[in-house]
C-alpha cells in the first residue's frame, strides 16, 4: 500500500507546479511578444490609421477611399460576420489598387504586408499554365484552408485577376460563402481582395465623359460605375472572373473602381514619395516628374497612362 504524502511534500509539489506554470506563462508571453502569432498583439484594426493613410497618401480616388474605409471598418468592427469580406478592385495600372491593399494590411497587421497572415497570389507567377488548372484548383483550396486554419484573421490578395485562367477562382467559392464552418474551419473573419485591370476601359470612359462635360470628377458616384463594371468583368472571357459563381452568387461585397489619374494627382504622388523618402517636398521636381509621363487621349492629354506607377524610379533620377 502506497504511503500517504506528507502535507509538507504536497505543499512543495503544488508550489513547484505553480511556479513552473508561472515560468511557462512568462516564457509564452515573451515568445508572443517577439514572434508574430494570431493574437491581438499582432492583429488589431486601426481605423484612424487607415483613414489617415487614405486621406494623405491616396490621390484622385474619392470613391475607392470612401468604400474601402467603410467596408473594412464595418467588417473589422463586427465580432461575428456572416461571411468573409470580399473586395474586387478595378482600374488601370498605377491608380492605387496594390497600394490600397498595402494600406489595409498596414492598418490590421503589425507586420503589414510582411505579415505571415497576409498571402499574395499573382496569376502569371502562381498559375501560369492553363493545362495545370486542376492542380492549381486543388493547391489553392489547400493553401486557403491551411492558412485560415492557422489564423482566422488571414488576408488573401489575388493580383492580376484579368490574367487568371477562367474557372480557377471558383475553386474557393465555398470559403467566401455564408457558411458557419466548412470541415470544422470558419472563414468568416478572413479578407479576400481581388485586383484587376478588367473593367478599366469603362471606368476611363466615364471619367473622360465627365471631364469633357466640364464636370468635377468628384461628382462621379459608385452607381455610375458599379453595375457596368461587374457585368463587364463577368462577361469578359479573358478574365479570371468570367462567368464566375463569385459574382453570380453575389459573394463580392464591393466592386471598387479606381479612376484614371490626372496631372495634378501625379504631382501629389511625387510629393508624397518625397515625404516617404524623408526628403523635403520640392514642387519644381514634382512638376518635372509629372511632365515626363505620357498622357492620353493624345490630343487632350488628360490622364496618365501609367498613373503613379513609375514615380519612385523617376524621382530617383531627378533628385
Amino acid at each position: 500500500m502506497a504511503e500517504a504524502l506528507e502535507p509538507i511534500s504536497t505543499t512543495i509539489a503544488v508550489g513547484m507546479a505553480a511556479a513552473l506554470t508561472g515560468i511557462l506563462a512568462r516564457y509564452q508571453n515573451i515568445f508572443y511578444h517577439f514572434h508574430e502569432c494570431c493574437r491581438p498583439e499582432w492583429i488589431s484594426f486601426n481605423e484612424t490609421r487607415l483613414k489617415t493613410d487614405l486621406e494623405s497618401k491616396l490621390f484622385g480616388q474619392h470613391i475607392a477611399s470612401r468604400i474601402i474605409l467603410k467596408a473594412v471598418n464595418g467588417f473589422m468592427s463586427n465580432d461575428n460576420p456572416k461571411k468573409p469580406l470580399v473586395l474586387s478592385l478595378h482600374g488601370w495600372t498605377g491608380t492605387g489598387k496594390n497600394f490600397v491593399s498595402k494600406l489595409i494590411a498596414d492598418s490590421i497587421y503589425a507586420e503589414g504586408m510582411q505579415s505571415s497572415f497576409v498571402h499574395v497570389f499573382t496569376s502569371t507567377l502562381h498559375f501560369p499554365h492553363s493545362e495545370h488548372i486542376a492542380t492549381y484548383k486543388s493547391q489553392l483550396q489547400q493553401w486557403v484552408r491551411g492558412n485560415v486554419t492557422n489564423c482566422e484573421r488571414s488576408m488573401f490578395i489575388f493580383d492580376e485577376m484579368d490574367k487568371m485562367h477562367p474557372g480557377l477562382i471558383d475553386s474557393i467559392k465555398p470559403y467566401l460563402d455564408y457558411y458557419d464552418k466548412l470541415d470544422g474551419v470558419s472563414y468568416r473573419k478572413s479578407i479576400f481582395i481581388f485586383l484587376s485591370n478588367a473593367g478599366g476601359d469603362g471606368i476611363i470612359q466615364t471619367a473622360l465623359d465627365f471631364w469633357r462635360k466640364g464636370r468635377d470628377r468628384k461628382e462621379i458616384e459608385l452607381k455610375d460605375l458599379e453595375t457596368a463594371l461587374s457585368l463587364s468583368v463577368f462577361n469578359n472571357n479573358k478574365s479570371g472572373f468570367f462567368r464566375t459563381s463569385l459574382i453570380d452568387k453575389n459573394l463580392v461585397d464591393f466592386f471598387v473602381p479606381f479612376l484614371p489619374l490626372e496631372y495634378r494627382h501625379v504631382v501629389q504622388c511625387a510629393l508624397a514619395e518625397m515625404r516617404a523618402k524623408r526628403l523635403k517636398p520640392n514642387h519644381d521636381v514634382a512638376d518635372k516628374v509629372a511632365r515626363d509621363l505620357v498622357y492620353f487621349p493624345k490630343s487632350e492629354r488628360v490622364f496618365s497612362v501609367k498613373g503613379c506607377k513609375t514615380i519612385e524610379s523617376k524621382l530617383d533620377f531627378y533628385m
Side-chain angles (χ1 to χ4, degrees), residues 251-302:
L251 298 180
V252 178
D253 297 301
F254 295 97
F255 287 92
V256 187
F258 281 70
L259 303 175
L261 301 182
E262 299 174 15
Y263 180 92
R264 58 194 169 107
H265 302 126
V266 176
V267 171
Q268 289 177 303
C269 287
L271 292 172
E273 186 61 32
M274 291 179 204
R275 287 190 287 269
K277 291 176 176 290
R278 299 186 183 281
L279 300 171
K280 184 178 180 180
N282 186 316
H283 283 269
D284 290 336
V285 172
D287 278 327
K288 288 179 181 178
V289 171
R291 284 198 299 269
D292 198 34
L293 300 186
V294 178
Y295 295 82
F296 71 96
K298 286 186 178 181
S299 60
E300 297 156 300
R301 300 186 78 248
V302 183

Side-chain angles (χ1 to χ4, degrees), residues 172-200:
I172 64 168
K173 181 259 181 188
Y175 308 147
L176 276 58
D177 214 330
Y178 293 82
Y179 292 114
D180 185 39
K181 288 185 178 180
L182 288 172
D183 296 327
V185 181
S186 174
Y187 299 85
R188 293 178 295 126
K189 291 187 178 181
S190 296
I191 297 177
F192 293 80
I193 303 176
F194 302 108
L195 313 179
S196 176
N197 290 350

